Amino acid sequence: MSHDVEIVSASRKYPFAKMRLDNTHRLDAIEGRFTCSQCNRSRKFYCYNCYVPVGNVGDFLPKVQIPIDIDIIKHKKEIDGKSTSAHAAVLARDRVKVYSYPDMPDYSKMDGVVLIFPSVNSLTVPQLFNHRVRLKTENNYGLPKGHNIGTMLRWRIDEVKDELAEGEKSAVKLYTYDNLPVKRAIFIDSTWNQSRGIYKDARLRDLPTVVLQNRYSQFWRHQRGSPRWYLATVEAVHQFLLEVHVNAWGLNQHYRGLDNLEIGTGFYQIATLVNFDAESVERDAPYNGHYDNLLYFFANMYDIIHKYYDHNQLKAYRRPI
């Protein structure tokens, strides 16, 4: 089955159906609330202040191993219990840290750090790996004259391969967890307007910025005025790690977990498909759902929202097509 497929409306297919996710229905069987072992607050599945599971959730919760450090800078007005940044911090606790702005490290003094933010000078993940690709910038991304990518994308980001000159050979580099071109990625967890204020902070503003390949968000609280590919924080973390992995080690051609996520076709045109063991999830094997469990809580909440709420009546959960 070819990955070069037409984009299909998310309403027609369950987005997580083919992903390598642990059984999220185990969460549905949990009754009542539990006390966080660190702060003694009452919580359901995890503590969104201490980023630890509560009760017996830790007995079956997946632990996601990721190749780089992830820091999430959360705006102080973001409600802790509603932010999906906690999902990543609980599920990949060893490598994901959440900071409440303005309390954050000085990243300007660190090496190998990128900021996931759509600025006019943003690189794509393949460009971080020195792959011969470029952004299609015709028509200014669909923005009016005088606007740029840092304002808000109205069209999908798309990338194209640059053809090699006659007789030119493409350089191939073997990657490990130790020699990836990025060591730490910074994400801003806030509304679009709030994120622009954080971006101007001297500790962040000079970092190289990276823009992600577009995919439609499955978040149930759509942000008014933003396009469908404005991802929830945990979706963005998953997408970035997916792109890093695929650019370093390829995409397992047997893996079908991305079929219903409506990722832009440019992703598949650039990804190297590898005929590999269909069950292999060794850390440097072609992508085969390695980080899908970052969406464990997200997929569970998606199920609950779609089961109990009428999206035609609840404005907070209504999304544009």
Side-chain angles (χ1 to χ4, degrees):
M1 181 177 178
S2 173
H3 283 82
D4 191 11
V5 296
E6 294 295 325
I7 299 299
V8 181
S9 172
S11 62
R12 290 174 54 189
K13 294 183 178 181
Y14 177 61
F16 314 110
K18 301 179 182 180
M19 300 186 80
R20 193 178 286 270
L21 277 170
D22 284 15
N23 183 3
T24 65
H25 295 300
R26 299 190 67 173
L27 294 172
D28 300 335
I30 294 178
E31 298 180 357
R33 298 170 69 85
F34 302 93
T35 300
C36 173
S37 60
Q38 297 191 19
C39 69
N40 294 318
R41 294 184 176 99
S42 175
R43 299 289 185 251
K44 180 66 174 177
F45 301 136
Y46 58 86
C47 180
Y48 43 77
N49 297 108
C50 304
Y51 308 114
V52 294
V54 296
N56 67 332
V57 175
D59 296 339
F60 60 83
L61 197 66
K63 294 179 176 61
V64 186
Q65 302 297 321
I66 63 177
I68 63 173
D69 293 318
I70 299 291
D71 287 1
I72 300 172
I73 313 302
K74 187 165 63 67
H75 193 276
K76 61 184 178 181
K77 290 186 178 180
E78 286 294 302
I79 300 173
D80 292 336
K82 293 184 178 181
S83 171
T84 66
S85 61
H87 299 185
V90 172
L91 293 162
R93 194 176 182 208
D94 291 343
R95 305 208 70 165
V96 177
K97 304 297 181 188
V98 180
Y99 297 93
S100 182
Y101 186 80
D103 179 20
M104 68 178 187
D106 186 354
Y107 297 107
S108 66
K109 300 178 180 179
M110 299 183 186
D111 295 325
V113 181
V114 298
L115 174 65
I116 311 305
F117 191 84
S119 76
V120 68
N121 296 316
S122 289
L123 300 173
T124 65
V125 176
Q127 288 173 328
L128 287 178
F129 283 80
N130 293 319
H131 291 173
R132 297 178 62 99
V133 298
R134 59 183 173 83
L135 285 174
K136 292 178 67 174
T137 59
E138 293 83 357
N139 299 315
N140 192 31
Y141 303 102
L143 297 169
K145 185 177 180 180
H147 290 70
N148 62 50
I149 188 175
T151 306
M152 178 57 75
L153 290 172
R154 296 298 174 188
W155 285 357
R156 285 179 175 237
I157 284 282
D158 211 357
E159 297 163 305
V160 292
K161 281 186 177 181
D162 279 335
E163 297 297 328
L164 294 175
E166 186 175 352
E168 185 180 4
K169 293 183 179 180
S170 178
V172 177
K173 182 175 181 178
L174 297 178
Y175 288 100
T176 69
Y177 269 35
D178 297 324
N179 71 349
L180 292 171
V182 56
K183 296 180 175 63
R184 185 184 305 271
I186 314 301
F187 292 77
I188 298 175
D189 183 5
S190 69
T191 64
W192 175 248
N193 289 332
Q194 292 166 347
S195 71
R196 292 177 65 78
I198 296 175
Y199 172 62
K200 295 177 182 178
D201 191 294
R203 294 168 291 178
L204 289 175
R205 66 188 179 199
D206 293 327
L207 292 177
T209 55
V210 173
V211 64
L212 303 178
Q213 177 64 240
N214 293 133
R215 88 184 197 203
Y216 276 0
S217 175
Q218 307 303 328
F219 197 33
W220 42 93
R221 286 193 303 274
H222 177 70
Q223 194 174 124
R224 180 179 295 180
S226 65
R228 277 286 308 277
W229 47 85
Y230 192 88
L231 300 176
T233 302
V234 74
E235 289 180 294
V237 172
H238 176 267
Q239 178 64 27
F240 177 71
L241 291 170
L242 162 67
E243 292 190 47
V244 166
H245 196 107
V246 168
N247 279 277
W249 300 292
L251 177 64
N252 190 318
Q253 71 173 22
H254 302 290
Y255 176 67
R256 310 310 315 170
L258 308 179
D259 287 359
N260 297 350
L261 293 187
E262 300 174 274
I263 297 179
T265 55
F267 171 83
Y268 297 113
Q269 292 168 357
I270 294 168
T272 300
L273 295 181
V274 183
N275 186 7
F276 207 78
D277 180 358
E279 299 302 318
S280 176
V281 287
E282 295 296 322
R283 70 180 195 174
D284 57 354
Y287 191 79
N288 197 21
H290 289 65
Y291 317 124
D292 287 359
N293 269 325
L294 284 173
L295 300 176
Y296 184 78
F297 292 120
F298 189 88
N300 178 256
M301 184 57 71
Y302 178 97
D303 289 342
I304 293 172
I305 294 296
H306 282 255
K307 180 178 180 180
Y308 291 108
Y309 292 95
D310 182 348
H311 296 268
N312 293 318
Q313 300 298 324
L314 255 178
K315 292 183 179 180
Y317 297 93
R318 189 185 302 166
R319 299 180 306 183
I321 299 301

